[in-house]
Structure formats: structure tokens, C-alpha cells
Amino acid sequence: MSRLPIRLYGDPVLRTRTREVSEVDDGLREFADVIRETMVEADGAGLAANQVGDLRRIIVVNIGENDTTDDVRVLVNPEITAREGTMKIVEGCLSLPGIEEEVERTARISVSYMNLDGETEKVEVSGLQSAIIQHEIDHLDGVLFIDRISPVRRKFLRGALKKISRGSKQPA
Ligand code: CO
């Protein structure tokens, strides 16, 4: 199975809003396999299509209760339909290697999405799984988790971000 290179902070595709998928077809299912494999190989908990340079509204998330790959799902056109409570959680991102920061997120969410058979499904998650899905949906809107930290923390990270950004411009 093939994998795709993960785009790093500084690549404009990470700031680009993705487009709704109108239909699930074989081409999309093939892409789903690739993005799923890319996330698992990178040891990530989630990955959004634009992180591999694709502008379809698709995310892959590992929402298993254990830190394994026991519930890896591909969510097409994911949408948060209900929110409850807030929490603080430390996040990282495959596009921002080496950076971990505390972010405030909604504690419990309901998410509706299209599965790979083109059917609408719904999932309710809390805690880490909820943060993962919110983080990935943010990606689809061109938003990164460092946008959700304090200006003081962001300033503190400036050097590290610059370094990643330089790396993003090197040919893969
Ligand atoms: Co990320």
C-alpha cells in the first residue's frame, strides 16, 4: 500500500479550506486507504486530507479507547452537530513535529459524517477522542492547533515554527 508525504507547517495547503465531497466512489475509497496507511505509519492519532495535499473534506481518526489502531475511521464531510462542556488537553500535530501545547476544546461532541459506503453515520465522543476529531476538522478549515494557544505561547514558539517552515519548503 502506498503512503503520501505529510505537509509541514509553512505549506500553504495547510491554510486552505477543503471542499465538501459530493459522492463516495472507488477513487475516494482508494484515497481513504492511502491516508489511513499514512496516518498509521506516522504513528498519528488523526490526519486530514489537506495534510497530504488533497483538498477533499476527509479526515482519518483513531478513536479507539486504547492507544492502538483498533478503531481507525475515515470520516467524509465530518460536521459537529452538538457540543457540551470544555476541557484542556495537550495536543501535537504531524505537520508541526516537536511541538506540543495545551489547547482548550469542547469536552463532548456529536459528529455526523459520511462513511465509505456513502451512508450518513453519527458518533459521540469525549476526552481525547473528542479533541482528535476537533483538531482534524480544524485542519479542513485551514486552522492549526497553534492558532488556539495564547499569543504569549505562540511568541515563545516562533523560532521552532520558523525552523519547521523552512523544512516545509525543501523538496520532498
Ligand atoms: Co494536526
Side-chain angles (χ1 to χ4, degrees), residues 51 93 135 139:
Q51 285 183 280
C93 180
H135 176 120
H139 273 299

Side-chain angles (χ1 to χ4, degrees), residues 26-83:
D26 285 344
L28 187 140
R29 278 184 282 267
E30 245 166 67
F31 173 69
D33 280 343
V34 173
I35 188 171
R36 179 199 296 258
E37 179 82 352
T38 302
M39 182 200 82
V40 170
E41 282 296 315
D43 217 13
L47 196 64
N50 51 341
Q51 285 183 280
V52 292
D54 189 290
L55 289 177
R56 282 175 286 186
R57 215 163 168 80
I58 300 169
I59 61 174
V60 54
V61 289
N62 177 14
I63 52 170
E65 287 298 324
N66 307 306
D67 194 11
T68 58
T69 53
D70 59 358
D71 192 0
V72 175
R73 294 193 203 186
V74 176
L75 278 52
V76 179
N77 300 337
E79 195 187 332
I80 297 172
T81 55
R83 300 175 169 266

Side-chain angles (χ1 to χ4, degrees), residues 2 32 38 45 49 59 70 73 105 109 114 129 139 153 161-163:
S2 55
T38 302
I59 61 174
D70 59 358
R73 294 193 203 186
R105 293 285 186 190
I109 55 171
M114 205 154 66
Q129 288 75 26
H139 273 299
R153 286 301 303 165
L161 291 175
K162 208 175 255 179
K163 204 178 242 177

Side-chain angles (χ1 to χ4, degrees), residues 48-170:
N50 51 341
Q51 285 183 280
V52 292
D54 189 290
L55 289 177
R56 282 175 286 186
R57 215 163 168 80
I58 300 169
I59 61 174
V60 54
V61 289
N62 177 14
I63 52 170
E65 287 298 324
N66 307 306
D67 194 11
T68 58
T69 53
D70 59 358
D71 192 0
V72 175
R73 294 193 203 186
V74 176
L75 278 52
V76 179
N77 300 337
E79 195 187 332
I80 297 172
T81 55
R83 300 175 169 266
E84 195 191 336
T86 58
M87 63 178 178
K88 287 193 170 167
I89 193 157
V90 175
E91 296 186 11
C93 180
L94 292 171
S95 295
L96 290 146
I99 292 179
E100 286 192 345
E101 289 289 325
E102 193 178 69
V103 181
E104 189 174 297
R105 293 285 186 190
T106 304
R108 286 170 296 283
I109 55 171
S110 300
V111 181
S112 83
Y113 63 95
M114 205 154 66
N115 67 21
L116 294 176
D117 295 317
E119 301 157 347
T120 301
E121 282 192 353
K122 204 167 188 177
V123 65
E124 284 177 25
V125 284
S126 61
L128 178 63
Q129 288 75 26
S130 169
I132 293 168
I133 293 182
Q134 289 170 71
H135 176 120
E136 299 314 327
I137 291 178
D138 268 356
H139 273 299
L140 297 180
D141 294 324
V143 173
L144 300 172
F145 80 104
I146 51 162
D147 302 341
R148 298 192 178 277
I149 65 177
S150 74
V152 173
R153 286 301 303 165
R154 225 177 5 252
K155 203 167 168 190
F156 178 79
L157 293 172
R158 208 152 57 182
L161 291 175
K162 208 175 255 179
K163 204 178 242 177
I164 298 171
S165 180
R166 271 200 300 269
S168 78
K169 287 173 184 82
Q170 266 151 31

